[in-house]
Amino acid sequence: MADERAGRAAEPGRTAVVLFTRDLRVHDHPALAAATEHADRVMPLFVLDDSILSGRNAAPNRAAFLAQALADLRERLRERGGDLVLRRGDVVEETMAAVAETGATALVCSADVSGYAQRRERRLADACAGQGVRFRTYPGVTVLPPGALIPAGGDHYRVFTPYWRAWDAATWREQVAAPARISSGDLDRIGRLPAVDDLSDGVTSPDLPVGGETAGRAVLDRAVRRAGDGEPDLDDLAGDHTSRLSPYLHFGCVSPLEVANRLEENAPEQVRQLAWRDFHHQVTAAVPSVSTEDYRSRAVEWRDDADGLRAWQDGRTGVPIVDAGMRQLLREGWMHNRARLITASFLTRNLKIDWRAGAAHFFRWLVDGDVATNAGNWQWVAGTGNDARPNRVLNPLRQAKRFDPDGAYVRRYVPELAHLDGAAVHTPWALPDADRKALDYPDPLLDL
Ligand SMILES: Cc1cc2nc3c(=O)[nH]c(=O)nc-3n(C[C@H](O)[C@H](O)[C@H](O)COP(=O)(O)OP(=O)(O)OC[C@H]3O[C@@H](n4cnc5c(N)ncnc54)[C@H](O)[C@@H]3O)c2cc1C
């Protein structure tokens, strides 16, 4: 192997390795664009990282999406004359092996925020320094990089409103074009595309979105078209008007900057959601422990309630709006934002179960499951995070009547109640005794 690597290193010209992580696209990819501009030869590389694919991080829905996104990325790179090299193992060891094999003088990747990503970047930087290889990270995972906005007297914004004001006034970087041509030369050991079973052995949701840049760009086009008819009500649960871009943003199949540029004119509320995303990313970049530890301690006594947790996970709490959200999660690997707020509030405020248990369940199932955004939102709802009003409690019944007024969202996801008309679906306990007993649906876990 050492000889083979030494042999490849003899190729003339400057070679750069582009390490893809969760930036699986060719459009507006600053690291890829810079490498194709400055190097004679580019090796696009993805390492199936065992520490992300195993243990606590294993998520079959995201594994399925990832497998499709990698297949699509390989096609998009091949169209341009390049390819995607796939390896499996420790990301730093495999990347440095690829650097040695190609005799690369530069390694580039997109900067990321989690504690794991920051350690990965430090390890890569050290390994490159030891071998005289230039290492550089580029923006692209968020609209504005964490650290681009710093409040007076702090290292990151702790509250959204002032962050939003600064974000809204900031100048964004220029979008970069997808490279017209990528010269990869003869690449060795391209590697087989993984099947879902290679990445995970758990159960996947039946109605998952299709992964990849091609699908992501189509979803973005649809969001832009819909915004052209007027910005829809993002809180209408049954209307389902939000963009559904979150998995594509999580895996970087679409560039957040491109999304912001294209939605800016007609969908300012959705662009504001991207600022929320950036906000949580800059919190995580500064305080990576936010993914598992209270950002602000509130001395909450969490209840140990395995049965309550299980009922919530299964969508069998007896509170229809909560159960509808939880079943949407199991069926689609995705949940409407309003339902995420209602279900998370129900777990932490009504059942008083630790936000970490809820975040872990979301992380198991969400195809957009994201270290920064998941934990940031859970802590916001639980009152341990960045909410300026940490005692806010969402009443599930009031939320149901406001955001699902005729009950269509509940009927879509809770078939046991599908025959109940209108808003009556939200309060099955108010039915006459005989009708209620005929339902295969539990009594509410608690009196609301
Ligand atoms: C408890 C809880 C957990 C969540 N976990 C995740 C998660 O793991 N991954 C994730 O991507 N989103 C998470 N969210 C945020 C939000 O619910 C989803 O991003 C949104 O529902 C995705 O749908 P969409 O793409 O149609 O959103 P749109 O309304 O179309 O918004 C556009 C984009 O903005 C971003 N965005 C929207 N809402 C938020 C928000 N509240 N915080 C940060 N970014 C936002 C997303 O990237 C989204 O794709 C969570 C919210 C809650 C309350």
Side-chain angles (χ1 to χ4, degrees):
M1 183 59 88
D3 288 341
E4 182 193 328
R5 282 178 190 162
R8 312 273 322 151
E11 271 198 39
R14 283 169 307 175
T15 299
V17 171
V18 180
L19 174 64
F20 284 84
T21 52
R22 59 174 185 117
D23 45 0
L24 306 179
R25 63 177 183 269
V26 296
H27 290 85
D28 190 42
H29 192 300
L32 176 66
T36 36
E37 190 183 336
H38 298 299
D40 305 302
R41 180 168 174 252
V42 170
M43 181 207 233
L45 170 71
F46 185 88
V47 180
L48 296 160
D49 184 341
D50 284 331
S51 50
I52 292 182
L53 293 167
S54 62
R56 191 179 97 75
N57 294 315
N61 286 342
R62 288 197 295 286
F65 194 94
L66 172 66
Q68 292 167 336
L70 291 174
D72 190 58
L73 179 61
R74 180 174 267 183
E75 282 312 307
R76 304 289 73 79
L77 291 165
R78 283 184 176 171
E79 277 170 4
R80 291 165 168 78
D83 210 323
L84 180 66
V85 174
L86 285 155
R87 300 281 158 86
R88 180 160 193 158
D90 175 82
V91 62
V92 175
E93 284 168 20
E94 291 300 324
T95 302
M96 294 317 293
V99 164
E101 276 168 40
T102 51
T105 51
L107 168 67
V108 295
C109 70
S110 302
D112 206 347
V113 298
S114 70
Y116 180 77
Q118 293 188 42
R119 276 195 302 283
R120 178 175 64 203
E121 281 164 31
R122 280 196 297 274
R123 285 180 62 207
L124 288 169
D126 288 349
C128 283
Q131 296 183 25
V133 173
R134 214 166 79 89
F135 174 64
R136 192 165 159 195
T137 61
Y138 286 81
V141 164
T142 46
V143 179
L144 286 179
L149 305 173
I150 306 277
D155 63 347
H156 70 288
Y157 279 88
R158 291 165 184 275
V159 178
F160 180 69
T161 306
Y163 179 77
W164 162 245
R165 276 197 291 269
W167 194 94
D168 195 34
T171 309
W172 300 340
R173 69 173 168 80
E174 287 290 313
Q175 246 176 259
V176 295
R181 245 207 97 61
I182 298 169
S183 310
S184 292
D186 286 336
L187 291 171
D188 236 11
R189 296 202 292 130
I190 299 290
R192 180 175 68 81
L193 284 169
V196 191
D197 297 349
D198 298 329
L199 304 181
S200 156
D201 53 11
V203 178
T204 52
S205 298
D207 295 342
L208 285 178
V210 175
E213 182 171 19
T214 306
R217 295 189 73 73
V219 174
L220 174 57
D221 288 345
R222 188 190 60 185
V224 172
R225 266 195 317 276
R226 289 210 304 207
D229 299 331
E231 183 156 38
D233 176 0
L234 300 182
D235 274 320
D236 173 359
L237 278 162
D240 198 6
H241 299 302
T242 68
S243 70
R244 292 205 178 222
L245 277 166
S246 51
Y248 301 97
L249 284 162
H250 172 70
F251 283 95
C253 301
V254 290
S255 141
L257 177 65
E258 181 177 355
V259 175
N261 279 329
R262 292 186 62 192
L263 290 176
E264 196 185 8
E265 195 178 331
N266 292 325
E269 252 321 296
Q270 259 155 323
V271 173
R272 194 161 180 275
Q273 301 308 306
L274 291 171
W276 266 111
R277 183 175 178 275
D278 279 13
F279 173 77
H280 289 305
H281 278 70
Q282 56 97 46
V283 170
T284 298
V287 188
S289 62
V290 70
S291 63
T292 50
E293 288 166 28
D294 286 355
Y295 181 73
R296 281 200 185 115
S297 192
R298 249 184 87 239
V300 189
E301 292 259 337
W302 301 116
R303 281 178 56 243
D304 214 358
D305 177 3
D307 292 342
L309 178 61
R310 171 47 58 138
W312 177 82
Q313 290 171 332
D314 292 345
R316 301 275 300 166
T317 65
V319 181
I321 195 72
V322 172
D323 294 341
M326 298 310 294
R327 299 214 204 158
Q328 180 176 30
L329 176 63
L330 298 180
R331 195 197 290 181
E332 300 174 13
W334 186 88
M335 198 198 296
H336 190 286
N337 180 59
R338 178 52 54 183
R340 295 189 204 204
L341 290 166
I342 297 169
T343 54
S345 175
F346 185 78
L347 188 81
T348 55
R349 305 300 188 138
N350 296 100
L351 295 179
K352 302 206 182 316
I353 293 176
D354 193 333
W355 66 267
R356 278 160 279 248
H361 180 71
F362 270 32
F363 205 62
R364 157 67 179 80
W365 288 95
L366 280 175
V367 67
D368 64 25
D370 184 276
V371 171
T373 315
N374 192 38
N377 275 286
W378 269 98
Q379 294 226 41
W380 189 91
V381 176
T384 57
N386 313 85
D387 193 353
R389 287 167 47 204
N391 295 322
R392 185 193 315 251
V393 177
L394 302 181
N395 178 308
L397 284 185
R398 255 186 263 137
Q399 293 279 312
K401 288 184 178 150
R402 184 157 168 214
F403 299 113
D404 186 29
D406 82 347
Y409 178 74
V410 168
R411 277 188 293 280
R412 190 177 304 153
Y413 293 104
V414 187
E416 305 97 289
L417 305 179
H419 61 287
L420 299 179
D421 288 333
V425 77
H426 292 304
T427 49
W429 53 84
L431 291 171
D433 254 11
D435 295 352
R436 186 177 161 181
K437 284 194 185 116
L439 294 174
D440 173 26
Y441 188 69
D443 288 333
L445 279 185
L446 42 82
D447 185 357
L448 291 170

